[in-house]
Amino acid sequence: MHLYLHIPFCRQACHYCDFHFSTNTSNKRAVVEAIVSEIILRKDYLPKADIETIYFGGGTPSMLDGEELHLLLDTINQHFTVATNAEITLEANPDDLHRDKLQQLYNAGINRLSIGIQSFHEPHLKFLNRVHSALEGEHCVKIAQEIGINNISIDLIYAIPAPDHSILMQDIQKTFALNISHISAYCLTIEPQTAFGSWLKKKKIKPIDEEYAAQQFEILVKTLAENGYEQYEISNFARNGHYSLHNSSYWKQKPYLGVGPSAHSYNGVSREYNVSNNARYVEAIQKQIIPATLETLTPADQTNEYLLTGLRTKWGVNKEKLELLSGNSFYSVHRADLEKLSEKNWIREDAANWYLTDSGKLFADRISSDLFIEE
Ligand code: SF4
């Protein structure tokens, strides 16, 4: 099974971010203790099985101090069996990752870091309102590797407005120089409930130029492929099979338990969404109540989610599974659409699966939604 912990605190709000987090850390300890209680309350959510992956996401989990991290890991170990080779990832920001902290994480058993680098270009970091400097981004990767954490992923953001593609190329080259085995590359998007969203409304910034974004994506895909990175999911690239096992489990529809404010859980038939409010989360958990909304997934929901996530991966979507999930309605509804998409060279098939082609990857969400089934 797979376990996700949401640590909902950040030092400052990045201008593009609409994840759930708070910059008020006054109740950090109370939230951590509530997550500890939730782990215990939810220990039977999924059938008993060894934990294969643990993922500390956020927010900024590198803001946990050593004691808080141990408290969480000790609770997990007391109530679950963690596989000896489990992947244990912690999302971290460079400004937290000084040598002592990295040593502490390594000693605690964190064996994979997902570092929020976003760019190695100082003005771009300022534009995004990141706390860290370009130099801190570079240094923390080197120190982590010296200490022995070699399974490192970095986040990069592309389509940041710039006169040409040279800064993106510099970011990619820096990634190669640092010998980083996994890259998650996300297109800058402007979400309504963010600083960028409000500036866009007031016309202080321009919308993201779609053509420029598509060009940057093509540069990324091409340059990374030429340098040995496999695009195993549209936004995720790995060298030498260093896939994120945790994220792959989501894309493969594996059940998982998510704890903490705003975390989601999935057991194969329903999803649960924890409240996205730290104070309300703590209050409910203190009363032994899980503050979650339950959504039972219909055959259409299950089919559509499978299409949305599965088509983005190198594993594609399985033909038999589509029929099974949709109650044998998928092909009767979409035979003609599949033919059209094949003719456009946006999808391809083999005996078992459907996959996006390279040109189809540019229109992934549109293709999935064209293949959605209705209730
Ligand atoms: S991008 Fe990461 S560090 Fe920035 S506000 Fe969002 S969760 Fe926090």
Side-chain angles (χ1 to χ4, degrees):
M1 68 169 277
H2 306 274
L3 179 63
Y4 173 82
L5 300 95
H6 191 86
I7 310 301
F9 298 101
C10 291
R11 294 198 197 282
Q12 73 185 28
C14 301
H15 287 336
Y16 56 90
C17 178
D18 72 344
F19 292 150
H20 170 64
F21 66 89
S22 170
T23 51
N24 174 1
T25 54
S26 59
N27 63 350
K28 179 159 150 270
R29 183 71 189 200
V31 170
V32 170
E33 284 172 4
I35 296 175
V36 164
S37 301
E38 192 189 358
I39 293 169
I40 301 167
L41 285 168
R42 306 265 267 176
K43 65 183 180 359
D44 298 319
Y45 174 73
L46 294 175
K48 280 268 166 283
D50 287 5
I51 294 190
E52 295 159 56
T53 67
I54 299 173
Y55 195 101
F56 290 87
T60 308
S62 51
M63 285 174 68
L64 290 170
D65 62 32
E67 205 188 317
E68 290 163 341
L69 184 64
H70 275 288
L71 187 60
L72 291 165
L73 284 168
D74 289 349
T75 309
I76 295 166
N77 279 306
Q78 277 161 21
H79 296 277
F80 296 90
T81 307
V82 179
T84 41
N85 57 350
E87 175 191 272
I88 308 180
T89 304
L90 183 126
E91 284 182 352
N93 278 341
D95 45 299
D96 288 324
L97 295 181
H98 43 82
R99 188 174 288 276
D100 291 353
K101 179 77 178 196
L102 280 159
Q103 190 65 57
Q104 194 181 65
L105 295 174
Y106 180 72
N107 294 346
I110 302 300
N111 53 28
R112 184 171 183 274
L113 285 177
S114 171
I115 308 180
I117 298 272
Q118 319 306 353
S119 172
F120 292 101
H121 184 64
E122 201 68 48
H124 278 188
L125 292 172
K126 294 234 159 34
F127 173 70
L128 299 171
N129 203 36
R130 299 289 302 177
V131 182
H132 70 274
S133 68
L135 212 57
E136 280 176 317
E138 200 175 327
H139 279 169
C140 71
V141 172
K142 288 181 180 162
I143 302 169
Q145 290 164 337
E146 274 168 35
I147 283 174
I149 309 178
N150 290 306
N151 197 354
I152 293 177
S153 174
I154 65 163
D155 289 349
L156 286 181
I157 293 182
Y158 64 93
I160 300 172
D164 56 34
H165 301 306
S166 58
I167 296 168
L168 176 70
M169 281 309 294
Q170 285 164 25
D171 279 348
I172 298 173
Q173 292 305 331
K174 180 68 78 186
T175 305
F176 298 158
L178 287 169
N179 200 18
I180 289 163
S181 54
H182 187 282
I183 299 161
S184 297
Y186 301 108
C187 183
L188 180 62
T189 48
I190 299 190
E191 305 294 342
Q193 304 300 331
T194 62
F196 280 163
S198 115
W199 295 346
L200 183 67
K201 228 163 118 188
K202 294 177 191 152
K203 298 197 167 34
K204 284 189 184 169
I205 53 169
K206 289 187 188 154
I208 303 300
D209 179 334
E210 281 184 24
E211 205 183 309
Y212 170 71
Q215 284 168 6
Q216 293 232 313
F217 179 69
E218 280 173 324
I219 290 171
L220 256 166
V221 171
K222 184 169 172 285
T223 317
L224 293 179
E226 285 166 359
N227 286 274
Y229 289 82
E230 182 187 9
Q231 187 183 22
Y232 71 109
E233 197 269 349
I234 284 191
S235 304
N236 287 277
F237 303 81
R239 247 181 188 170
N240 305 322
H242 276 97
Y243 304 149
S244 162
L245 300 180
H246 185 84
N247 290 336
S248 298
S249 75
Y250 295 154
W251 304 324
K252 292 179 180 176
Q253 316 276 295
K254 299 273 165 68
Y256 60 89
L257 169 64
V259 293
S262 84
H264 301 176
S265 300
Y266 170 66
N267 63 4
V269 287
S270 64
R271 285 193 189 280
E272 292 186 31
Y273 305 90
N274 279 3
V275 66
S276 296
N277 177 298
N278 293 356
R280 279 169 51 204
Y281 171 79
V282 171
E283 205 185 304
I285 296 285
Q286 282 173 348
K287 293 181 192 150
Q288 308 280 296
I289 295 167
I290 309 288
T293 312
L294 176 80
E295 181 194 12
T296 302
L297 300 172
T298 62
D301 292 333
Q302 296 203 34
T303 312
N304 299 344
E305 282 189 9
Y306 181 50
L307 283 163
L308 206 57
T309 50
L311 269 180
R312 292 174 58 92
T313 69
K314 72 165 204 165
W315 302 287
V317 286
N318 181 270
K319 294 175 179 177
E320 271 178 29
K321 188 168 171 180
L322 280 173
E323 278 300 86
L324 201 70
L325 290 174
S326 64
N328 292 320
S329 69
F330 184 75
Y331 284 99
S332 52
V333 175
H334 283 306
R335 201 172 298 277
D337 297 319
L338 289 163
E339 273 169 25
K340 266 191 228 152
L341 290 167
S342 298
E343 276 163 24
K344 283 184 177 168
N345 190 31
W346 283 1
I347 58 170
R348 65 178 176 84
E349 65 179 315
D350 60 19
N353 301 319
W354 287 102
Y355 310 89
L356 292 181
T357 61
D358 283 345
S359 45
K361 283 176 189 165
L362 286 169
F363 310 101
D365 290 349
R366 188 176 137 193
I367 294 169
S368 307
S369 66
D370 281 354
L371 296 174
F372 280 178
I373 60 163
E374 290 175 11
E375 297 293 327

